Amino acid sequence: MSLYDDTLDLLRELIRNACVNDLTPSSGQEVRNADTLERFFADTPGVEIARYESAPGRVTIVVTVPGTDPAAEPLTLLGHTDVVPVDTDRWTTDPFGADIIDGRLYGRGAMDMLFITATMAAVTRDVARSGRPTGTLHFVGVADEEARGGLGAKWLSEEHPDAFSWRNCLSETGGSHLPVADGSDALVLVVGEKGAAQRRLHVTGDAGHGSNPYGRESAIAKIGEVARRIALIDVPVSEDPLWQGFVRAFRFSPEVEQALLDGTDTTAFEHFGELSRYAHALSRLTISQTVVRAGSAINVLPSSAILELDIRPLPGTTQDDVDAILTDALGDLADDVRIEHLITEPATVSPTSGPLYDALLATFDEFFPGVPVVPTVAAGGSDLRFGRRLGGVGYGFALHARQRTLGDVFAQLHTHDEHIDLEDLDLTVQAYRSLARRFLGV
């Protein structure tokens, strides 16, 4: 069979294994996909296979093709094997059936990110069958990415940092197209991701019977005022070159471009169309109020209330910076609010230069000659951040047909009837095989 056929068959099996991660330690059961991948590499000459189990059933598989030159640059293909839950009633196909309909493969994880994971595995096996590469190649089928890697990449980076090389990593996603204003083309290459600065804000009030509220301070009214003040925070637009390059890639009118770059007119984001929310997130630190809790019985005045914030900082913004922004917004209420840190992680970004980055640009140019490549930052997280923290570089890489925009890819993430166009699967397989030849010498 062809490399594409091998990839497609593997992808369908990975989807059917239904390794659903509901964020609990016993879910995921990526052992099923690890077993599938180990069978896939059975009898492949020259590969080394290792398995790492962080908790019962939470298995990551590492396949290594040793290089001939220890000094050559290694390459790690970091693909996760878990998927998010589904609302079966909202799907028009079996979410784990891996059905092919009108040139599309449907199934949970088809886009996020099993089509890339299957491609990585198939290309790794093809490289091994072609002879030893100059640089060492690792394929990693990682558990628990959808729960921020606590039982996957994070655990590996802390407990088994030498299981594979973190020096040059590829993962999700990239290679979609921007809807440039003048109709020309541009390709997306993900070079970094925003961080996490989750906060829980606590306030107190006077407890008592609901029938006697007079003279008592309401925790609910206080947390409501806290929420109002947080909502009024006006975060300035970033001056980061990645944001500025993203804006200029769209070739808007000078007036629109300037309004976006200096942040003088927030309605200018409407010019991004389907990418307006992503563009806004890329332009600044974002603060989303996501959870509020107070009280347990209708006849009891609660003595406390909390508000939880999902805050995503850009590279260069520290946790102290975030606390200062919140404290300033709270004003005279600041002394009455306790700020608790939840998940906190710095933003990470890789350089737009170096051997792997240059190889990615050359690969894009092979398939889309002369099309500019726009480096950008993901608003969410990926396993690549752990490699960057260990001193490596990491990029999101795939390849989509000209008509598939970044907005089209975003629309498939965690959605009902998730699918991948088979044309894009074929392009991604070709692109990864070409990159392996270019970067590893095989």
Side-chain angles (χ1 to χ4, degrees):
M1 290 196 299
S2 69
L3 181 57
Y4 166 78
D5 290 332
D6 287 344
T7 307
L8 178 59
D9 288 349
L10 176 60
L11 172 57
R12 298 183 81 181
E13 186 171 350
L14 295 177
I15 291 172
R16 288 166 178 159
N17 283 338
C19 295
V20 177
N21 186 347
D22 65 10
L23 311 189
T24 60
S26 62
S27 67
Q29 293 302 300
E30 297 90 345
V31 62
R32 295 192 291 272
N33 275 340
D35 289 346
T36 289
L37 289 163
E38 188 163 4
R39 288 193 300 270
F40 183 78
F41 283 97
D43 302 321
T44 302
V47 302
E48 302 167 359
I49 299 176
R51 293 162 67 107
Y52 298 87
E53 189 169 24
S54 57
R58 311 308 298 272
V59 177
T60 291
I61 186 169
V62 179
V63 179
T64 300
V65 185
T68 60
D69 182 358
E73 291 283 346
L75 178 63
T76 297
L77 308 180
L78 202 60
H80 70 76
T81 58
D82 60 328
V83 300
V84 296
V86 299
D87 185 350
T88 305
D89 293 342
R90 302 290 299 276
W91 283 63
T92 61
T93 65
D94 179 353
F96 302 107
D99 297 321
I100 296 175
I101 304 170
D102 296 331
R104 292 173 169 172
L105 174 62
Y106 287 80
R108 175 56 86 215
M111 180 69 77
D112 181 15
M113 65 169 285
L114 295 182
F115 91 97
I116 303 177
T117 302
T119 294
M120 291 171 165
V123 167
T124 299
R125 189 173 75 170
D126 189 64
V127 167
R129 289 174 170 177
S130 301
R132 290 180 64 184
T134 302
T136 295
L137 173 62
H138 302 280
F139 162 71
V140 189
V142 190
D144 201 39
E145 190 275 345
E146 296 294 356
R148 299 192 68 84
L151 296 174
K154 182 177 186 293
W155 178 80
L156 285 164
S157 69
E158 295 171 348
E159 301 297 327
H160 301 278
D162 299 323
F164 53 88
S165 172
W166 295 90
R167 181 177 175 87
N168 299 296
C169 295
L170 297 178
S171 191
E172 56 186 341
T173 184
S176 57
H177 301 258
L178 294 180
V180 182
D182 64 5
S184 61
D185 195 9
L187 283 158
V188 172
L189 179 56
V190 180
V191 302
E193 57 198 67
K194 298 181 79 173
Q198 296 179 356
R199 298 291 189 270
R200 181 180 289 139
L201 308 187
H202 299 258
V203 301
T204 60
D206 295 327
H209 198 286
S211 65
N212 289 274
Y214 177 74
R216 291 190 168 107
E217 184 177 47
S218 169
I220 292 177
K222 188 184 292 185
I223 203 69
E225 175 60 15
V226 168
R228 187 189 72 83
R229 295 188 185 190
I230 296 296
L232 293 176
I233 294 175
D234 183 17
V235 179
V237 69
S238 170
E239 297 181 358
D240 190 285
L242 289 176
W243 162 243
Q244 295 174 349
F246 184 80
V247 171
R248 294 187 174 108
F250 280 81
R251 301 186 181 182
F252 294 127
S253 69
E255 295 77 17
V256 171
E257 180 177 295
Q258 189 57 44
L260 290 165
L261 293 177
D262 63 22
T264 56
D265 181 6
T266 56
T267 64
F269 284 93
E270 296 173 3
H271 291 275
F272 286 107
E274 63 186 358
L275 291 173
S276 59
R277 289 189 180 91
Y278 169 72
H280 183 270
L282 182 60
S283 75
R284 67 199 66 208
L285 174 141
T286 56
I287 303 173
S288 295
Q289 305 187 56
T290 53
V291 177
V292 62
R293 293 193 185 98
S296 59
I298 197 169
N299 62 342
V300 177
L301 298 172
S303 60
S304 63
I306 65 164
L307 174 66
E308 293 182 353
L309 309 175
D310 182 1
I311 303 175
R312 305 292 178 115
L314 286 164
T317 300
T318 69
Q319 299 297 326
D320 288 342
D321 293 335
V322 172
D323 287 339
I325 290 170
L326 297 177
T327 300
D328 183 65
L330 292 171
D332 60 357
L333 276 178
D335 290 340
D336 291 339
V337 179
R338 179 168 66 88
I339 300 176
E340 177 187 0
H341 287 208
L342 302 178
I343 294 176
T344 59
E345 294 183 310
T348 63
V349 63
S350 296
T352 54
S353 61
L356 182 54
Y357 187 82
D358 293 344
L360 291 168
L361 294 187
T363 302
F364 278 140
D365 193 63
E366 176 185 343
F367 291 89
F368 292 95
V371 173
V373 175
V374 181
T376 189
V377 173
S382 80
D383 286 336
L384 290 171
R385 68 190 186 277
F386 302 111
R388 296 190 188 105
R389 291 178 195 170
L390 291 175
V393 300
Y395 303 97
F397 179 60
L399 195 59
H400 297 267
R402 170 70 176 87
Q403 64 270 28
R404 233 81 68 205
T405 67
L406 181 60
D408 293 329
V409 172
F410 283 160
Q412 290 304 311
L413 304 181
H414 300 186
T415 192
H416 313 305
D417 286 345
E418 180 183 351
H419 62 265
I420 180 72
D421 286 84
L422 294 182
E423 181 182 16
D424 293 354
L425 177 63
D426 188 24
L427 278 170
T428 298
V429 170
Q430 293 182 56
Y432 264 89
R433 190 61 185 92
S434 176
L435 178 73
R437 292 190 188 97
R438 181 172 283 111
F439 192 74
L440 296 171
V442 67

